[in-house]
Amino acid sequence: MEQKLLFTNKQLRNMILPLVMEQFLLMLVLVGLSDTFIVSQCMGAGDIEQAKQYFKRLMKSSLVIALAMCMDWLSRAVVFWVRFRRGKWKTFHVIS
């Protein structure tokens, strides 16, 4: 008996990509808020050089975190695609 797929590949892509981008942008917004708090504390204290140093350091760390997150999602997508192509999702066994 042939099983009918719930979604086509194009429909899955159109559902998954916005979720990935949303997570990426949410992380950047949260890091941006923390950057604003730390830099504004330095500016309020009148230490502009320290604010510049913190801003550079925090932006580098946020980009590294964003890149790591994207690599994680990419690796998961590749594993999912390989399993999908091999047909592993068609058979599963419940361990009792």
Side-chain angles (χ1 to χ4, degrees), residues 4 10 14 26-28 30 32 35 37 42-43 52 54 59 64-65 69 74 77-78 80 82 87-88 92 95:
K4 185 178 177 184
K10 187 176 181 180
N14 289 339
L26 178 63
M27 191 272 313
L28 286 177
L30 292 176
D35 292 352
F37 177 74
C42 293
M43 293 298 286
K52 287 180 184 178
Y54 275 126
M59 290 313 293
V64 167
I65 291 170
M69 197 170 96
L74 182 64
V78 168
F80 176 78
V82 168
K88 294 281 186 178
F92 68 93
I95 299 173

Side-chain angles (χ1 to χ4, degrees), residues 7-20:
F7 303 104
T8 64
N9 286 341
K10 187 176 181 180
Q11 289 172 329
L12 282 174
R13 184 186 68 223
N14 289 339
M15 288 188 300
I16 293 172
L17 283 178
L19 293 175
V20 172

Side-chain angles (χ1 to χ4, degrees), residues 82-93:
V82 168
R83 287 178 53 92
F84 180 77
R85 288 292 178 195
R86 289 184 180 170
K88 294 281 186 178
W89 59 275
K90 291 179 182 177
T91 59
F92 68 93
H93 304 283

